[in-house]
Amino acid sequence: MSGSLFPVSLLDNDFYKFTMQNAVVKHFPYAKARYKFINRGGHSFPKGFDQALKKAIKEMRQLKLDDQERAYLEENCPYLDPTYLDFLKGYRYDPSEVSVIQRGDDLEVTIEGLWYRTILWEVPLMAIISEFYYKMQALRRFADEDIIRITREKILGYEAIDVSVAEFGTRRRHSYQVHKLVVKTLKEEGKRSFIGSSNLHLAHLFNTKPIGTHAHEWFMFHGAKYGFKMANQLALENWTNVYRGDLGIALSDTYTTRFFFQSFDKKFAKLFDGVRHDSGDPIAFAKATIKHYERFKIDPTSKTIVFSDALDPKKVIDIADFCRSRIGMSFGIGTNFTNDVGLPLMNIVIKMTEALPEHEIWTPVVKLSDIREKYTGDPKMIELARSFLHL
């Protein structure tokens, strides 16, 4: 199914997976994690899908960081120290960490192993599942020239309203080819608005900035190790202990934004460059964020909100109209860039489900976003967390 080696690079992954991996290596080298594929959209997978996926997973063990890629990281990511880059140079995917089972048209994928190793699987696996889903059913997408035109129209529209836009679409892209076309077009046409890509390989390929900090799993693990009440505070503290002020956009909604702001005290509010919005009403979030900064006598226009929740041009315009002159803003746009090809979108995720901190026991992890539809985790643990945090 995959033909040549697929994915094409070890760096064909979201940047925050590498920044988190570096932090995990330093803080939690003995921790283990489990992840699970969640088919939110109830998609039916064609016969033989599991075999195609297993073949691609097996091929991934050949991927390795090459000298050019390392040089790019050294030049563009000085906060990734030589020790980590040496580690990444020797890193290889281990297919035995992934289990794939197909029963009829239902697909089960699980991942288990040391957290610093398994952390890299989620994004490329989702990208492969998405690409194979469309290919194996021979679903015809728009022609390349149409994708280029659509992408050009979008980025020129964003330039017209003077906003900064990053591409965040690796996980549920239609295909690598479409993703590559999109980033190339954004780079060529978005001279003022396009600020970079979350995909480290494509950022390198098109000489643009890699964008990203951390994801929900960073906070979810801290909840399993330290308890829900201490999770946000210790996750932020451990992050700053590694990056010392770099990579300063904090993800806010792992245990709801309301609870996050209880931990995001004056120290963190001053140290971090801003926060990322990933669920709930973006305008309500912006209002709460502005109010939080003003409480500490911090000028909100000196800070940035990165909006990244299912954005399209209309949503971006509405958010920009509210935020302009009130608070800094940028936008991370995913599938609206990389899967706007005339086909139904997939609704799939891979999430950490359990963590095993050193010398402890397997503990279910949860995510309590600002909307219930994005809750993930064991239902009993979700209710325990909600009760414990008075949510």
Side-chain angles (χ1 to χ4, degrees):
M1 177 70 217
S2 55
S4 59
L5 184 64
F6 182 81
V8 299
S9 168
L10 180 70
L11 300 187
D12 187 12
N13 204 327
D14 275 341
F15 183 47
Y16 65 41
K17 283 293 181 174
F18 298 99
T19 58
M20 287 192 298
Q21 184 185 52
N22 178 39
V24 172
V25 167
K26 291 179 169 53
H27 281 297
F28 309 110
Y30 297 99
K32 293 185 178 181
R34 289 173 176 159
Y35 300 79
K36 182 179 180 181
F37 171 71
I38 304 170
N39 183 5
R40 284 177 174 168
H43 306 286
S44 297
F45 291 90
K47 184 178 180 181
F49 192 94
D50 58 334
Q51 296 306 311
L53 181 57
K54 286 178 181 178
K55 183 175 185 294
I57 290 170
K58 190 175 181 180
E59 289 178 349
M60 287 176 67
R61 64 186 174 187
Q62 301 176 49
L63 296 172
K64 59 184 178 179
L65 191 73
D66 67 30
D67 291 339
Q68 276 193 332
E69 290 170 331
R70 178 174 175 142
Y72 171 82
L73 295 176
E74 288 176 337
E75 180 178 352
N76 292 277
C77 311
Y79 38 78
L80 297 178
D81 56 66
T83 306
Y84 172 69
L85 295 182
D86 281 347
F87 159 81
L88 194 60
K89 183 79 171 175
Y91 177 89
R92 301 292 183 273
Y93 281 107
D94 180 356
S96 71
E97 294 167 345
V98 184
S99 171
V100 178
I101 300 172
Q102 184 170 359
R103 295 184 176 92
D105 61 2
D106 184 53
L107 184 68
E108 297 178 13
V109 182
T110 56
I111 306 161
E112 179 177 333
L114 287 162
W115 188 23
Y116 77 83
R117 292 194 45 79
T118 56
I119 197 168
L120 292 190
W121 279 110
E122 174 195 346
V123 174
L125 278 182
M126 285 185 64
I128 294 168
I129 289 169
S130 182
E131 178 153 352
F132 284 8
Y133 177 81
Y134 293 112
K135 279 186 177 179
M136 291 185 71
Q137 298 180 87
L139 299 175
R140 296 190 62 183
R141 63 169 173 86
F142 292 150
D144 286 1
E145 55 266 30
D146 292 321
I147 290 168
I148 292 169
R149 174 183 55 78
I150 291 168
T151 305
R152 179 189 301 117
E153 289 172 356
K154 287 178 182 175
I155 194 60
L156 292 179
Y158 293 134
E159 294 224 333
I161 61 171
D162 193 26
V163 295
S164 298
V165 175
E167 178 277 309
F168 277 16
T170 303
R171 294 183 302 161
R172 286 180 287 267
R173 68 191 182 192
H174 172 272
S175 59
Y176 173 74
Q177 174 62 19
V178 166
H179 197 177
K180 190 174 174 182
L181 277 175
V182 165
V183 177
K184 182 175 187 290
T185 304
L186 292 172
K187 172 73 173 180
E188 292 173 351
E189 303 290 342
K191 302 297 185 184
R192 290 182 291 108
S193 283
F194 180 59
I195 59 173
S197 172
S198 68
N199 185 288
L200 194 48
H201 160 65
L202 293 175
H204 172 221
L205 189 64
F206 294 107
N207 192 29
T208 190
K209 183 180 179 181
I211 304 289
T213 54
H214 45 238
H216 294 103
E217 70 180 281
W218 180 249
F219 296 86
M220 292 161 74
F221 175 86
H222 281 76
K225 182 169 177 62
Y226 300 111
F228 299 123
K229 285 199 171 182
M230 296 300 296
N232 285 327
Q233 181 179 341
L234 290 174
L236 294 171
E237 193 71 50
N238 283 332
W239 192 257
T240 58
N241 286 341
V242 174
Y243 291 111
R244 316 302 296 178
D246 284 321
L247 300 175
I249 298 296
L251 182 58
S252 62
D253 71 334
T254 307
Y255 302 106
T256 76
T257 294
R258 180 169 66 83
F259 183 70
F260 173 83
F261 279 140
Q262 293 178 26
S263 303
F264 200 60
D265 61 13
K266 189 172 185 178
K267 168 187 169 180
F268 292 130
K270 285 194 167 187
L271 180 60
F272 279 82
D273 300 321
V275 293
R276 179 158 73 93
H277 169 264
D278 197 51
S279 65
D281 183 336
I283 304 301
F285 178 86
K287 289 178 179 178
T289 303
I290 291 168
K291 184 177 180 181
H292 189 74
Y293 282 126
E294 288 177 341
R295 174 188 167 201
F296 296 124
K297 304 290 192 281
I298 297 171
D299 179 5
T301 62
S302 71
K303 300 295 182 177
T304 298
I305 300 176
V306 178
F307 294 92
S308 62
D309 182 28
L311 296 175
D312 57 35
K314 183 182 183 307
K315 286 184 181 179
V316 170
I317 290 171
D318 291 343
I319 294 167
D321 285 345
F322 175 81
C323 290
R324 204 178 306 279
S325 78
R326 290 188 174 99
I327 192 167
M329 59 181 159
S330 67
F331 300 87
I333 299 177
T335 50
N336 189 255
F337 273 150
T338 62
N339 207 347
D340 186 2
V341 298
L343 296 171
L345 295 177
M346 296 198 80
N347 187 1
I348 57 173
V349 294
I350 292 176
K351 290 294 182 183
M352 180 189 283
T353 57
E354 294 178 86
L356 178 63
E358 185 180 359
H359 305 313
E360 299 181 36
I361 61 172
W362 282 106
T363 303
V365 297
V366 299
K367 175 169 78 87
L368 308 179
S369 296
D370 289 332
I371 57 171
R372 282 181 171 269
E373 291 79 4
K374 283 195 167 187
Y375 282 11
T376 61
D378 177 76
K380 290 183 179 179
M381 188 63 79
I382 287 174
E383 289 309 309
L384 178 63
R386 293 184 69 244
S387 174
F388 200 68
L389 300 176
H390 306 290
L391 300 174

